[in-house]
Amino acid sequence: MAWYSEPPLTRLAGIAGGALNDVMRVRRAWHWDSPRPRTWPEQGAAVPSPASDLGWARVEPVRSIRYLIQRILLLPFTEVMAHPKVEGREWVRELKRPVIFAANHSSHADTSLILHSLTDKARDHTVVAAAADYWFKHPILGNIVSLFLNTFPFSRTGGAQAQLHSSSQLLKSGWNLVLFPEGSRSPDGRIQEFRPGVGHLAKETGTPVVPMHIQGAFQIMPRHQKIPLPGPVRVRIGRPMTPQRAEGSREFTARVEKAVRTLAAGPRQPELQGSWIERWEASKPRELRYETD
């Protein structure tokens, strides 16, 4: 029988059936986990697209939105959770130029505690270095964190020249930088060895470094803990340090680390007894600790 004598529906059904058979044959013969054929070119390593510097987070109206978010949500929440006692805030009030805030790192609560300890003027001109391989793996999370905390991606694995360039550009534009020279959160709350990046950045840009020590953040939210628990915190701010002309990057980094350890070794508050609720209630201040100028 000639093809033109077949009914239309029969022809369509035959075409569809043949196409389906072809697809099934291809699927049965295709092994997704098998080695690549020798005739195929070698598969190159995936190169991730470069992370944005998140410049949108440092312009209006985003800055005003972040100011409201921090004043209405972040700072009051930090005050309720930790009742931070801040020592040495006078060094922040006297700042006349951009600086690098270098602090120990034992908890995700560190960033909000540092911002809480600054004045409004300093906080509004401060960006936070956030691990690019942790916070910016998912763009949505990275953008939300940048909106709240004014973060910028900082690589912990290589790319020293690119990191130096982006950080120096921020300093030259009038922004303070918050860096955690340990590189990652301490697993046990103790200060780890500082990496030389903070000294290198300070030497190359001539930027003073303000040492800071946070005591109590590890008890609030240690590594691998998802939900914070209230507890008393003390934040100590040291005198700004300037690298000497004949001082190398590693030597200056070691001096910054020594300053942070000195702040940690100062007189401690007497240990409060009882449950964490009783300790938190006993540490509650009479008024809010953050300042507006």
Side-chain angles (χ1 to χ4, degrees), residues 1-278:
M1 181 183 295
W3 65 270
Y4 50 80
S5 62
E6 296 179 3
L9 292 179
T10 302
R11 290 203 308 271
L12 290 176
I15 294 173
L20 180 60
N21 289 335
D22 291 341
V23 171
M24 297 304 296
R25 290 177 60 189
V26 169
R27 292 191 61 186
R28 285 195 299 269
W30 189 273
H31 302 286
W32 296 101
D33 297 330
S34 63
R36 295 167 59 85
R38 294 181 180 179
T39 56
W40 288 16
E42 290 295 329
Q43 186 176 11
V47 179
S49 57
S52 167
D53 65 351
L54 301 172
W56 61 266
R58 298 185 287 276
V59 297
E60 293 291 357
V62 180
R63 291 177 64 176
S64 296
I65 295 174
R66 180 168 52 251
Y67 175 84
L68 294 176
I69 291 174
Q70 291 182 350
R71 293 292 297 187
I72 296 174
L73 297 177
L74 182 66
L75 299 182
F77 179 77
T78 304
E79 179 68 33
V80 169
M81 290 293 292
H83 305 317
K85 179 181 180 182
V86 182
E87 302 176 12
R89 190 181 270 129
E90 61 273 13
W91 297 116
V92 178
R93 297 194 196 98
E94 297 175 4
L95 294 178
K96 303 300 182 184
R97 53 176 298 189
V99 298
I100 300 171
F101 295 107
N104 63 308
H105 195 23
S106 62
S107 169
H108 279 326
D110 290 333
T111 300
S112 59
L113 290 167
I114 290 175
L115 295 177
H116 182 283
S117 68
L118 304 179
T119 62
D120 274 354
K121 181 178 180 181
R123 188 185 310 111
D124 188 54
H125 292 81
T126 296
V127 295
V128 180
D133 59 322
Y134 186 93
W135 293 106
F136 297 94
K137 288 190 300 183
H138 305 290
I140 294 179
L141 175 62
N143 288 328
I144 293 175
V145 173
S146 298
L147 174 63
F148 275 69
L149 304 176
N150 196 14
T151 56
F152 77 101
F154 194 88
S155 175
R156 297 186 290 188
T157 56
Q161 290 300 323
Q163 298 301 321
L164 175 63
H165 176 73
S166 59
S167 301
S168 61
Q169 288 298 113
L170 288 170
L171 291 169
K172 292 176 182 178
S173 300
W175 294 95
N176 305 310
L177 299 185
V178 173
L179 296 180
F180 298 109
E182 293 168 271
S184 61
R185 288 168 293 164
S186 170
D188 55 10
R190 293 181 294 182
I191 300 175
Q192 308 298 301
E193 182 180 359
F194 280 17
R195 299 183 180 183
V198 61
H200 184 61
L201 179 60
K203 283 284 293 183
E204 292 295 323
T205 60
T207 304
V209 174
V210 177
M212 303 182 70
H213 180 263
I214 306 168
Q215 176 186 313
F218 183 77
Q219 286 70 29
I220 289 178
M221 195 175 184
R223 199 168 185 170
H224 306 307
Q225 181 173 302
K226 302 299 183 182
I227 301 177
L229 293 176
V233 169
R234 183 197 68 191
V235 180
R236 276 184 169 167
I237 306 173
R239 182 175 183 175
M241 306 171 61
T242 304
Q244 304 299 321
R245 181 174 301 178
E247 193 174 26
S249 299
R250 293 184 180 275
E251 287 79 6
F252 182 61
T253 299
R255 190 153 63 91
V256 172
E257 179 181 344
K258 182 179 179 181
V260 174
R261 292 183 182 274
T262 301
L263 292 173
R268 293 174 177 262
Q269 302 179 52
E271 293 292 336
L272 300 175
Q273 303 299 321
S275 66
W276 66 264
I277 297 179
E278 294 170 336

